[in-house]
Amino acid sequence: MFAEALLAGAPCLTPAGAGIDGYFPDGEATLSAPSRDPSAIADGLVRLAREETAFKDRLARLQESGALAVMTREHITASYRDGLRARLETLSSQAMPCDASGEE
């Protein structure tokens, strides 16, 4: 849901150490807060509200630069496909050769 929000132009408060935390420097287009710290969550929401225009401006620049492409369905699909293909190629190259009778 965070990726969709960013792609739609909405800055996010994310759980620290989870989800998309770490994709962008904290304070650029997102903020993070420990998920079990109500005070930190409240502080983050207040900051997002106070600095909404600045967050949205930075987010727009990220969108224009292509930095958010990593969060698009196409990019995610291609990453999974390429990772699976590479793993299958590795497994294929490690397979034991068989003789014509099917025995190793």
Side-chain angles (χ1 to χ4, degrees), residues 84-97:
L84 288 171
R85 184 174 290 141
R87 182 64 180 142
L88 288 172
E89 289 172 1
T90 299
L91 291 172
S92 292
S93 69
Q94 295 172 351
M96 299 285 290

Side-chain angles (χ1 to χ4, degrees), residues 29-51:
T30 63
L31 290 175
S32 64
S35 60
R36 296 181 186 266
D37 186 342
S39 179
I41 293 168
D43 290 346
L45 291 172
V46 167
R47 182 173 173 201
L48 282 176
R50 284 187 179 149
E51 300 176 28

Side-chain angles (χ1 to χ4, degrees), residues 13-100:
L13 178 66
T14 65
I20 64 167
D21 184 34
Y23 273 80
F24 307 102
D26 202 43
E28 184 174 26
T30 63
L31 290 175
S32 64
S35 60
R36 296 181 186 266
D37 186 342
S39 179
I41 293 168
D43 290 346
L45 291 172
V46 167
R47 182 173 173 201
L48 282 176
R50 284 187 179 149
E51 300 176 28
E52 179 181 9
T53 300
F55 273 99
K56 286 186 174 185
D57 288 346
R58 288 189 295 270
L59 185 52
R61 285 193 296 276
L62 286 171
Q63 289 173 326
E64 291 167 3
S65 73
L68 295 181
V70 65
M71 298 194 173
T72 63
R73 181 183 310 209
E74 294 80 9
H75 182 18
I76 293 167
T77 301
S79 293
Y80 275 108
R81 181 192 61 235
D82 295 346
L84 288 171
R85 184 174 290 141
R87 182 64 180 142
L88 288 172
E89 289 172 1
T90 299
L91 291 172
S92 292
S93 69
Q94 295 172 351
M96 299 285 290
C98 297
D99 66 17

Side-chain angles (χ1 to χ4, degrees), residues 12 18 41 44 54 101:
C12 297
I41 293 168
S101 67

